Amino acid sequence: MLPKIKILDEKNKMLRQISKEVTFPLSDKDKELIANSLKYLEMSQIEEYSNKYNLRPGMGLAFIQLGVPKRIFVVVDEVEDGKFDYYVIINPKILSHSEELIYVEEGEGCLSVNRPVDGIVPRYARMKIEAYDENGELFTYRLREDLSVAFQHEMDHLDGILFVDKIDPKNPFKNKDRMRSI
């Protein structure tokens, strides 16, 4: 069954807030929201469920998109058909990143932006971050390509930034020749 979560639309001013650092242990409510978000994202990527529930496929969700201004996001990455990797990221910090920039060729999307958007969003091809998991354990992640883009997209949400803010309105494909498409 599809979890009951409500994703805020880009018009909602709450999405522009800077989310607050999280303290541990997490509340049961936060743990439940993490589990529901992971399940929702997984179901959105499985064609049977995305059709049944009319879902746009999503790879990540930040708590602020659910109306909770905490520095938490989740990412669900389909590594092969029907097999997923799950990431719960709390209080993330970028430790380092590549000079190389990439962009998503078909364009980035967002579950809070319910309209087509043309343009490229420059992202680091690789980065290393540290973050906590839901148990308060500190982890380091090395990310590249799709995962690097997804994590940067969600980290932007924590700072009140939407991907559309990173597209130059006068020249949506600016500097495309200086980046690699993925």
Side-chain angles (χ1 to χ4, degrees):
M1 202 162 94
L2 186 69
K4 292 252 186 283
I5 60 173
K6 178 155 176 30
I7 300 170
L8 301 180
D9 182 80
E10 69 178 305
K11 295 176 193 82
N12 191 307
K13 291 188 180 5
M14 187 169 204
L15 287 174
R16 298 307 187 163
Q17 280 185 29
I18 294 176
S19 296
K20 304 271 185 274
E21 290 276 317
V22 176
T23 54
F24 293 95
L26 294 182
S27 69
D28 289 343
K29 191 174 175 185
D30 284 344
K31 289 179 184 173
E32 184 181 353
L33 197 51
I34 287 169
N36 285 342
S37 298
L38 290 169
K39 186 73 181 157
Y40 181 94
L41 290 171
E42 178 188 300
M43 289 176 79
S44 81
Q45 293 180 51
I46 298 172
E47 196 173 343
E48 175 193 343
Y49 296 120
S50 68
N51 290 339
K52 180 178 178 179
Y53 296 110
N54 192 26
L55 304 175
R56 288 183 26 235
M59 194 172 170
L61 260 179
F63 265 36
I64 192 68
Q65 291 176 273
L66 307 171
V68 179
K70 293 183 177 179
R71 296 186 82 75
I72 301 174
F73 68 83
V74 300
V75 169
V76 176
D77 182 29
E78 189 169 18
V79 288
E80 57 187 67
D81 223 17
K83 185 178 180 307
F84 299 91
D85 283 344
Y86 304 92
Y87 300 88
V88 176
I89 306 297
I90 302 172
N91 298 338
K93 304 233 179 328
I94 296 176
L95 299 176
S96 62
H97 62 77
S98 64
E99 292 284 319
E100 183 188 14
L101 294 176
I102 58 175
Y103 65 93
V104 179
E105 181 140 30
E106 66 270 11
E108 271 186 45
C110 178
L111 294 174
S112 290
V113 178
N114 297 301
R115 61 186 169 96
V117 178
D118 281 334
I120 57 173
V121 181
R123 301 287 188 190
Y124 304 123
R126 294 167 305 286
M127 65 177 195
K128 181 176 165 185
I129 70 158
E130 73 176 16
Y132 294 89
D133 69 8
E134 61 268 45
N135 301 313
E137 298 286 323
L138 187 62
F139 282 91
T140 302
Y141 290 100
R142 288 184 183 278
L143 306 156
R144 43 196 326 257
E145 308 287 318
D146 293 355
L147 274 179
S148 181
V149 169
F151 276 58
Q152 289 170 75
H153 178 110
E154 299 310 326
M155 287 172 79
D156 280 348
H157 274 302
L158 303 182
D159 292 324
I161 299 166
L162 297 177
F163 82 95
V164 294
D165 303 338
K166 294 187 171 252
I167 298 172
D168 185 330
K170 292 184 183 71
N171 183 0
F173 296 93
K174 183 178 182 179
N175 298 328
K176 180 179 181 175
D177 54 337
R178 296 188 195 152
M179 294 173 243
R180 181 168 54 85
S181 67
I182 61 165

